[in-house]
């Protein structure tokens, strides 16, 4: 029996759903029941009635699924699948920051620990950050964390008074405005789509055709008739784009934009996860209860 068949058999025996993020390895995406961005996968985790959720993504995504579905078993197939951006702020640092801005509303990107979410008023993803900020009364001071580039992007889009935490994603921060200029010159006429975590998305917003979440980029890929598109994000997304639209050439802005955390999980890990019930994600109930309010506002948007 192939590994893929073994995974499907185990999945059915355990009555599990397999969720995979757009940056996962192609073969992991292929065995998943649902592939998408962090907002889509959070919603799928809630909608699916299955008692076991295998989350092929990174820890904050699996924690989010557990917080939203406390009675279900959530498995992260490799415990090393963390996130450099989520590590950019601790709950203690956030408490200190809140102390400096009494009364401010805290908006946390989903790329944060459960403890940081528990200290936050709203969570958002790259799909709905702008919409969530617009829901907050206009005179309200806002603390946005931890991604400075996404925060700066929504600050410019909304014109709101937003204080930014100076964190960044080690993969996206390396994609710079100079890379965009080079790509424009080397691929004249090719549209450029960029993730808002990119170090190039704000300073060079005018040079990018669309700033989109990973699912936004996948939808763009599906619909475009351009002969070539430049893709400024982690390279794992190219698998879905090329599969959905073989008529367009999808060129990464940087071949080196590889998230080591997203690549921790392979097919053997997914198989072992189902076979051995590992690695179970638990969130302390009091922390989960506090974090749930901010997350429910995120998925309701
Ligand atoms: P998306 O929500 O756009 O999939 O982004 C998640 C992420 O970790 C990007 O680095
Ligand atoms: Fe975290 Fe960056 Fe990897 Fe996304 S690409 S999971 S933000 S380290």
């Amino acid at each position: 029996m192939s590994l893929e068949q073994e995974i499907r058999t185990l999945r059915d025996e355990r009555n599990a759903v397999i969720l995979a993020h757009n940056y996962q390895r192609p073969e992991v995406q292929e065995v998943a029941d649902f592939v998408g961005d962090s907002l889509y996968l959070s919603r799928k985790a809630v909608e699916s009635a299955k008692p076991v959720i295998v989350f092929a993504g990174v820890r904050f995504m699996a924690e989010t699924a557990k917080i939203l579905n406390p009675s279900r078993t959530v498995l992260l197939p490799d415990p090393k699948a963390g996130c450099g951006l989520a590590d950019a702020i601790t709950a203690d640092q956030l408490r200190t920051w809140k102390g400096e801005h009494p009364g401010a509303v805290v908006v946390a990107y989903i790329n944060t620990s459960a403890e940081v979410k528990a200290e936050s008023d709203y969570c958002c993803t790259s799909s709905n950050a702008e919409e969530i900020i617009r829901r907050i009364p206009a005179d309200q001071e806002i603390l946005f964390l931890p991604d400075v580039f996404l925060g700066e992007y929504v600050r410019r889009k909304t014109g709101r008074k937003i204080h930014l935490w100076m964190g960044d994603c080690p993969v996206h921060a390396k994609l710079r405005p100079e890379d965009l200029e080079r790509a424009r010159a080397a691929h004249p006429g090719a549209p450029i789509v960029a993730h808002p975590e990119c170090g190039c998305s704000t300073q060079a917003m005018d040079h990018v055709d669309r700033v989109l979440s990973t699912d936004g980029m996948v939808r763009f890929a599906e619909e475009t008739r351009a002969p070539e598109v430049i893709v400024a994000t982690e390279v794992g997304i190219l698998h879905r784009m090329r599969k959905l639209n073989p008529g367009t050439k999808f060129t990464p802005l940087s071949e080196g934009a590889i998230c080591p955390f997203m690549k921790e999980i392979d097919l053997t890990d997914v198989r072992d996860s189902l076979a051995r019930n590992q690695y179970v994600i638990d969130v302390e109930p009091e922390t989960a209860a506090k974090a749930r309010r901010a997350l429910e506002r995120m998925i309701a948007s």
Side-chain angles (χ1 to χ4, degrees), residues 85 122 126:
L85 176 57
Y122 292 82
S126 57

Side-chain angles (χ1 to χ4, degrees), residues 21-23 36-41 58 60-61 83 85 109-111 124-127 169 171-172 195-197 212-217 233-234 237 259 262:
H21 187 265
N22 288 320
Y23 296 159
D37 69 4
S38 18
L39 185 60
Y40 174 82
L41 295 177
V58 290
F60 74 79
M61 296 179 181
C83 167
L85 176 57
Y109 192 28
I110 188 172
N111 299 43
C124 70
T125 74
S126 57
S127 301
C169 156
V171 181
H172 287 88
H195 195 275
E197 283 173 22
L212 297 163
S213 76
T214 58
D215 265 7
M217 287 189 191
T233 193
E234 210 272 350
I237 199 168
C259 173
M262 282 283 181

Side-chain angles (χ1 to χ4, degrees), residues 83-283:
C83 167
L85 176 57
D87 292 341
I89 188 165
T90 63
D92 272 347
Q93 286 173 314
L94 176 52
R95 280 189 283 270
T96 304
W97 200 29
K98 282 165 69 171
E100 291 160 9
H101 298 275
V105 170
V106 177
V107 181
Y109 192 28
I110 188 172
N111 299 43
T112 44
S113 67
E115 292 73 23
V116 166
K117 288 183 176 79
E119 289 288 334
S120 303
D121 299 297
Y122 292 82
C123 282
C124 70
T125 74
S126 57
S127 301
N128 66 0
E130 190 182 331
E131 189 190 328
I132 296 272
I133 296 286
R134 288 192 195 281
R135 262 204 259 153
I136 299 166
D139 57 345
Q140 185 72 60
E141 195 177 10
I142 297 169
L143 304 184
F144 186 91
L145 61 103
D147 191 75
V148 66
F149 295 112
L150 174 62
E152 179 57 28
Y153 174 72
V154 288
R155 183 157 74 176
R156 282 185 61 178
K157 291 287 273 188
T158 61
R160 299 292 296 275
K161 187 169 169 19
I162 305 178
H163 301 280
L164 304 179
W165 189 259
M166 299 303 283
D168 60 28
C169 156
V171 181
H172 287 88
K174 287 201 194 93
L175 302 176
R176 308 299 307 168
E178 313 76 88
D179 299 317
L180 283 180
E181 274 153 36
R182 213 173 306 118
R184 272 266 186 260
H187 307 269
I192 300 179
V193 292
H195 195 275
E197 283 173 22
C198 287
C200 56
S201 64
T202 44
Q203 301 98 318
M205 208 159 83
D206 307 331
H207 302 282
V208 167
D209 296 276
R210 302 286 295 276
V211 177
L212 297 163
S213 76
T214 58
D215 265 7
M217 287 189 191
V218 169
R219 280 192 295 276
F220 181 91
E222 218 173 352
E223 286 159 16
T224 187
R225 291 294 162 261
E228 185 177 15
V229 174
I230 308 298
V231 182
T233 193
E234 210 272 350
V235 296
I237 199 168
L238 296 165
H239 172 67
R240 261 187 104 191
M241 290 177 146
R242 290 172 178 156
K243 198 169 135 184
L244 287 165
N245 182 352
T248 294
K249 183 177 178 207
F250 295 99
T251 305
L253 184 67
S254 164
E255 295 276 2
I258 299 170
C259 173
F261 304 104
M262 282 283 181
K263 303 302 185 241
E264 289 286 1
I265 295 169
D266 61 18
L267 283 182
T268 309
D269 297 323
V270 177
R271 192 264 322 267
D272 291 349
S273 166
L274 283 160
R276 301 179 190 161
N277 201 44
Q278 63 190 29
Y279 293 85
V280 176
I281 296 295
D282 270 322
V283 178

